Amino acid sequence: MIKDILRYLKSLEFKNYKSVVIYGAGSAGAQLAAQLRNSTEYKVKFFIDDSEYLIDRRIYNIPIFSPDILKKGYFKIDEILLAIPSLTINERSTILEKLS
């Protein structure tokens, strides 16, 4: 518990964190979120995933949304991290076109 309190207090010192979204709520996305939880430089706002099975669920209490949520445009997001290692180059290009 002390470790969590110290991590929280340390995070208050760094108000200039980057707001990130993780695209891919599978095991790679969950591992990435777990690593970023210990970071004071990044804050994961939410996950994005195409799977209807995962939408409206949570990982580490971080919500999972459909990619359509980005069309609303009222989120301040600094970076979108792609966490789907099995993607082909064509699939990656398609996702990047949608995001841009």
Side-chain angles (χ1 to χ4, degrees):
M1 181 170 27
I2 293 173
K3 181 180 174 184
D4 290 336
I5 292 170
L6 290 174
R7 185 178 354 166
Y8 173 74
L9 292 174
K10 187 175 181 181
S11 72
L12 292 177
E13 297 173 11
F14 296 94
K15 294 291 183 181
N16 295 330
Y17 60 80
K18 289 185 180 181
S19 296
V20 298
V21 170
I22 299 176
Y23 196 111
S27 60
Q31 289 175 3
L32 179 58
Q35 292 298 315
L36 293 178
R37 285 175 64 190
N38 296 325
S39 171
T40 56
E41 296 176 36
Y42 299 97
K43 179 170 175 142
V44 180
K45 293 293 190 176
F46 53 88
F47 289 91
I48 297 173
D49 203 286
D50 294 323
S51 172
E52 292 183 18
Y53 173 75
L54 295 173
I55 294 170
D56 294 330
R57 293 178 174 238
R58 292 178 171 267
I59 299 175
Y60 302 119
N61 207 28
I62 302 168
I64 304 170
F65 296 120
S66 164
D68 295 335
I69 193 88
L70 296 174
K71 293 178 184 175
K72 297 183 180 182
Y74 54 78
F75 296 104
K76 182 197 175 292
I77 300 169
D78 296 313
E79 294 181 16
I80 298 177
L81 305 175
L82 192 56
I84 310 173
S86 62
L87 288 177
T88 65
I89 293 173
N90 290 336
E91 291 170 328
R92 186 175 301 157
S93 297
T94 302
I95 288 174
L96 292 175
E97 285 178 24
K98 280 189 214 178
L99 293 174
S100 63

